[in-house]
Amino acid sequence: MNFSSKISREYQSKLTNAENAVQVVKSGDWVDYGAFATNPDLLDAALAKRVDELQDVKVRSVTFPGKAKVATADKGQGSFIYNNWHFSSGDRINHDNGNGYYIPFVYNEGPSHYEEEGTLRTDVCMMRTTPMDAFGNFNFGVGNSFQRAILENAKTIIIETNNTLPQCLGGTGESIHISEVDYVVESDNKPILTLGAPPITEIDEKIANYIVSEIRDGACIQLGIGGLPNAVGNLISQSDLKDLGVHTEMLADSYLQMFKTGRITNLKKTLDPGRMVYTFALGSQDLYDFIDNNPKCASYSVGYTNNLANISANDNVVSINNAIEVDLYGQVSSESSGFRHITGTGGQFDFAYGAYHSKGGKSFICLSSTVTGKDGVVKSRIRPIFDPGSIVTLPRTITQYVVTEYGKVNLKGKSTWERAEALISIAHPDFRDELIREAQDMKIWVNRNRKDCINAAA
Ligand SMILES: CC(=O)SCCNC(=O)CCNC(=O)[C@H](O)C(C)(C)COP(=O)(O)OP(=O)(O)OC[C@H]1O[C@@H](n2cnc3c(N)ncnc32)[C@H](O)[C@@H]1OP(=O)(O)O
Ligand SMILES: CCCC(=O)O
């Protein structure tokens, strides 16, 4: 039998439908899904339908597009407990409603949690991939992440194919072979989630200006998610910066824009020169078309992209990420607000640490100085201390630059009173007096920190 007919016989023998495939799940099992667009769709729906038959099935996902059906199927019967390593907006709603839980981790350690013997059990992994190629491989498309480590830990593997996933060339960890798979389900090829570019506000533009003036030719860029990093990408596209490189966890539309305007060549990178390195992609159809089979882009496991030594291996790494709040000690909270869990630590810690340790590298945390709550009340995002429940994403020892529309400050090497002074200088003017009073009560204010000196710094 020749190679291709052997592969196709194996494929046919494993082909089934979603309802049959999920019969493999038993009460008490741990089930892992995919990450981002590689979360299963039909298999999630089929598993949720077994709500009356199953007890105590624990599901783990990474950033489910929309809302996972298993999370809401349960209605308190103890059939499913839904957990997630990083919340999407749907996961956030599930958590708000008591239908989901967060799993704390730093993103670079995702693979090792599954690789360390006995840390995590995976009875069944069900994930979405591209259809099988001529060699028997299923590609993880835009969700490489730590899928390979999960699959290697899984007792049973079910693949749900979708032909709208781009073929993402690796790298490492970007595919699985038919010989490793137990069941294949062909889906209805519903288009994967696309994300429009977030709108750029005037405040975002001001913040982006402070950051872009710190970037030099040949720098290696990591942009986080949200409007602010998108504004930075937009401004870089219009600049005359040259030979920028990309080593990031998330590939988004702003990289495509910077590539098209000739800002990105990747030629000055010392690690993976000539290639844009990423572990997942989230953006428009244009972005997915760009990465599809593109040898200039390399999809790697997050154990590689977010490895601290790999991040700092390139020179002049610039990492730009968003935050929810920063306190006067310089701690950064990027994943929750009080007891409301919003997203996750993700790779923020990895890139803030790795960028600072790259030769000439800089790490930026950016946020608007205020936010208007759902109750209409305007709050300062520079806080004396965080509310109970707010999670520290970056300890104060790791934070380098903090940027608002009122300026940028570098906290490295600064004592507590200098940090308070620096951070209040970039807070919204309406909140500065109150922050100074709080800093006095917190014993992080000395007599030479006076209001006029704050105004001078601003
Ligand atoms: C994928 C990557 O980012 S790679 C980079 C490394 N990873 C990280 O940085 C992970 C942590 N960071 C993050 O998850 C994001 O950058 C965030 C959440 C900090 C900001 O992302 P954005 O998309 O700009 O957030 P957005 O403004 O849409 O707010 C998300 C939610 O948080 C809420 N929120 C934002 N700021 C605040 C605040 N200061 N107080 C209370 N709630 C807030 C919003 O109301 C919104 O809730 P909703 O969905 O109910 O409306
Ligand atoms: C899963 C991690 C995504 C992020 O870093 O935001």
Side-chain angles (χ1 to χ4, degrees):
M1 197 187 308
N2 70 24
F3 177 70
S4 63
S5 53
K6 183 170 171 285
I7 296 273
S8 108
R9 270 177 73 135
E10 188 163 4
Y11 181 87
Q12 289 304 326
S13 73
K14 294 178 175 178
L15 192 60
T16 185
N17 62 35
E19 282 66 31
N20 283 337
V22 299
Q23 293 303 318
V24 76
V25 177
K26 301 180 302 303
S27 289
D29 274 358
W30 279 94
V31 175
D32 272 283
Y33 279 6
F36 315 95
T38 68
N39 274 284
D41 178 38
L42 298 185
L43 290 165
D44 170 53
L47 183 59
K49 280 197 193 132
R50 293 193 61 205
V51 63
D52 296 328
E53 303 160 34
L54 293 168
Q55 281 291 301
D56 192 33
V57 171
K58 279 86 57 181
V59 177
R60 284 183 291 248
S61 154
V62 183
T63 320
F64 197 95
K67 281 200 252 167
K69 293 207 166 53
V70 286
T72 47
D74 196 286
K75 308 277 183 279
Q77 295 169 31
S79 303
F80 301 114
I81 305 178
Y82 177 72
N83 310 277
N84 203 298
W85 295 100
H86 193 90
F87 285 7
S88 64
S89 52
D91 295 323
R92 191 181 306 146
I93 294 168
N94 277 329
H95 182 265
D96 287 344
N97 296 333
N99 294 325
Y101 299 88
Y102 175 65
I103 319 167
F105 82 137
V106 284
Y107 200 13
N108 85 78
E109 292 182 356
S112 61
H113 291 338
Y114 287 87
E115 285 157 3
E116 272 161 27
E117 189 131 1
T119 303
L120 292 178
R121 192 176 97 213
T122 305
D123 295 295
V124 182
C125 177
M126 41 182 87
M127 70 174 292
R128 209 146 64 157
T129 66
T130 61
M132 189 176 77
D133 69 14
F135 308 100
N137 300 305
F138 299 85
N139 186 278
F140 303 159
V142 291
N144 183 326
S145 198
F146 45 100
Q147 280 315 120
R148 188 70 224 177
I150 297 175
L151 292 164
E152 283 172 15
N153 190 47
K155 293 180 193 135
T156 303
I157 294 171
I158 313 174
I159 292 302
E160 174 180 323
T161 63
N162 182 305
N163 67 13
T164 71
L165 275 166
Q167 183 87 12
C168 295
L169 304 179
T172 52
E174 78 290 354
S175 63
I176 185 164
H177 192 259
I178 182 70
S179 57
E180 302 171 280
V181 170
D182 295 290
Y183 302 101
V184 180
V185 171
E186 291 175 350
S187 79
D188 48 0
N189 298 316
K190 189 162 89 188
I192 60 165
L193 175 80
T194 53
L195 212 62
I200 298 173
T201 65
E202 230 175 88
I203 289 178
D204 293 341
E205 272 173 8
K206 281 189 185 160
I207 294 174
N209 264 300
Y210 287 120
I211 297 171
V212 173
S213 64
E214 295 280 339
I215 301 176
R216 58 179 80 164
D217 290 344
C220 187
I221 310 283
Q222 179 262 332
L223 299 176
I225 198 162
L228 273 170
N230 186 47
V232 173
N234 194 45
L235 199 62
I236 293 174
S237 302
Q238 297 160 27
S239 73
D240 53 9
L241 281 163
K242 287 189 231 9
D243 284 329
L244 298 178
V246 177
H247 181 107
T248 183
E249 64 175 58
M250 179 176 86
L251 208 60
D253 279 83
S254 41
Y255 293 99
L256 176 57
Q257 208 183 346
M258 291 186 279
F259 183 83
K260 281 184 174 165
T261 55
R263 302 299 121 220
I264 291 174
T265 63
N266 292 300
L267 294 177
K268 299 283 188 236
K269 287 173 72 185
T270 48
L271 187 68
D272 297 301
R275 305 213 293 170
M276 277 199 222
V277 167
Y278 67 100
T279 193
F280 72 91
L282 207 48
S284 68
Q285 191 57 47
D286 280 351
L287 177 73
Y288 300 154
D289 293 342
F290 172 74
I291 55 183
D292 188 32
N293 269 308
N294 184 342
K296 294 282 177 205
C297 301
S299 154
Y300 278 95
S301 152
V302 71
Y304 179 91
T305 56
N306 287 34
N307 173 286
L308 305 179
N310 287 346
I311 295 170
S312 53
N314 285 301
D315 292 343
N316 301 312
V317 173
V318 179
S319 137
I320 299 147
N321 290 296
N322 262 347
I324 306 275
E325 289 172 347
V326 176
D327 75 9
L328 288 184
Y329 296 117
Q331 305 185 101
V332 177
S333 177
S334 306
E335 55 194 272
S336 68
S337 172
F339 296 110
R340 181 165 196 239
H341 196 87
I342 294 171
T343 52
T345 304
Q348 183 164 116
F349 182 95
D350 303 338
F351 275 92
Y353 186 92
Y356 178 70
H357 287 271
S358 120
K359 192 172 158 211
K362 291 172 188 163
S363 122
F364 294 90
I365 291 296
C366 45
L367 70 174
S368 57
S369 66
T370 59
V371 64
T372 307
K374 295 199 163 86
D375 52 5
V377 174
V378 179
K379 282 196 317 184
S380 174
R381 291 176 114 166
I382 308 276
R383 309 290 307 271
I385 51 166
F386 297 137
D387 287 341
S390 283
I391 300 297
V392 173
T393 306
L394 293 188
R396 60 183 173 176
T397 42
I398 299 296
T399 314
Q400 190 184 13
Y401 285 94
V402 179
V403 193
T404 72
E405 69 274 28
Y406 291 99
K408 64 182 168 228
V409 292
N410 183 350
L411 301 186
K412 287 283 186 188
K414 287 196 164 50
S415 67
T416 50
W417 65 266
E418 289 175 294
R419 284 164 180 250
E421 180 180 87
L423 288 164
I424 295 172
S425 78
I426 58 166
H428 192 286
D430 291 353
F431 292 93
R432 288 183 194 167
D433 285 342
E434 191 187 323
L435 287 166
I436 290 170
R437 281 194 297 277
E438 297 277 2
Q440 282 167 333
D441 288 349
M442 290 160 69
K443 310 270 185 262
I444 53 172
W445 195 257
V446 294
N447 287 341
R448 79 162 281 288
N449 296 106
R450 285 189 318 274
K451 198 176 168 193
D452 50 341
C453 116
I454 292 291
N455 288 336

